[in-house]
């Protein structure tokens, strides 16, 4: 049982690191495909699910409240994104944003905290479920941000001719 928890904690740290890595297009302002935009929320949901499953404190009402708050805040923040899209190539680009990167970085910190406290320090949990709720909040934030940006903002975006992996250096108006 101990080795299963250790492996799950290590896997979650790796997945959270991959989620943060998949956000690099927002930092570099490069055009990426719609599928690449979906990697981060998908990985965040898996990370949050694993952290909720291994959480010693099962506080479902806290988790539901965190998910609802994350969905609302993520949708609100997605409405502020300035998006350009190349409809022919299926590419999306946003200017440098910090909210998604911050959420993915915090998710990585939460997984590292779970790994260190559970496997390295072997301390007893307070059984409040706060770490799992925080992970659920961040995952819901990233999911809502993606859904609103991809399905509401992007279809209304201005078309620019873009190439995958490049920054066209044009002003984003949306």
């Amino acid at each position: 049982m101990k080795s299963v928890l250790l492996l799950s904690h290590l896997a979650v740290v790796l997945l959270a690191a991959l989620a943060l890595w998949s956000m690099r297009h927002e930092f570099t302002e490069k055009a990426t495909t719609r599928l690449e935009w979906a990697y981060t929320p998908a990985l965040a949901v898996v990370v949050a699910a694993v952290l909720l499953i291994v959480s010693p404190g099962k506080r479902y009402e806290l988790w539901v409240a965190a998910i609802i708050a994350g969905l609302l805040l993520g949708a609100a923040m997605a409405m502020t994104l300035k998006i350009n899209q190349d409809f022919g190539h299926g590419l999306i680009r946003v200017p440098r944003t910090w909210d998604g990167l911050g959420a993915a970085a915090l998710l990585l910190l939460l997984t590292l905290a779970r790994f260190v406290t559970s496997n390295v320090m072997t301390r007893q949990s307070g059984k409040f479920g706060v770490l799992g709720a925080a992970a659920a909040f961040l995952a819901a934030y990233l999911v809502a941000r993606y859904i609103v940006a991809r399905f509401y903002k992007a279809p209304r975006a201005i078309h620019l001719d873009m190439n995958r992996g490049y920054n066209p250096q044009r002003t984003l108006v949306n």
Side-chain angles (χ1 to χ4, degrees):
M1 182 65 177
K2 200 81 155 131
S3 64
V4 172
L5 281 177
L6 175 66
L7 289 176
S8 66
H9 288 148
L10 286 174
V12 166
V13 169
L14 177 65
L15 290 175
L18 286 173
L20 181 59
W21 176 253
S22 69
M23 294 290 290
R24 69 189 180 281
H25 61 88
E26 290 189 22
F27 179 74
T28 59
E29 302 179 359
K30 293 182 180 177
T32 55
T33 64
R34 297 173 187 139
L35 180 62
E36 289 177 79
W37 268 75
Y39 290 157
T40 303
L43 289 168
V45 166
V46 171
V47 167
V50 171
L51 286 178
L52 289 174
I53 290 168
V54 300
S55 177
K58 305 288 188 206
R59 302 254 329 256
Y60 300 110
E61 66 282 352
L62 178 63
W63 297 350
V64 170
I67 290 169
I68 291 171
L71 289 172
L72 293 174
L73 189 60
M77 289 304 292
M79 293 300 291
T80 65
L81 287 176
K82 294 180 187 230
I83 296 176
N84 284 137
Q85 181 169 235
D86 185 330
F87 293 98
H89 293 115
L91 299 173
I92 299 174
R93 179 181 167 269
V94 295
R96 183 169 289 131
T97 58
W98 296 102
D99 63 317
L101 285 168
L106 285 173
L107 193 60
L108 178 60
L109 285 175
L110 287 174
T111 60
L112 287 171
R114 170 61 71 200
F115 174 74
V116 168
T117 58
S118 296
N119 298 102
V120 177
M121 295 172 47
T122 61
R123 71 167 187 83
Q124 291 295 329
S125 173
K127 297 196 188 316
F128 293 115
V130 174
L131 195 134
F137 170 82
L138 293 170
Y141 177 88
L142 290 170
V143 166
R145 185 176 179 271
Y146 166 75
I147 289 172
V148 171
R150 167 68 178 87
F151 295 105
Y152 180 74
K153 292 285 286 189
R156 293 166 173 73
I158 293 173
H159 174 78
L160 292 178
D161 292 327
M162 293 183 268
N163 293 317
R164 185 176 177 273
Y166 291 99
N167 181 351
Q169 302 294 330
R170 294 190 191 124
T171 304
L172 294 159
V173 180
N174 185 339

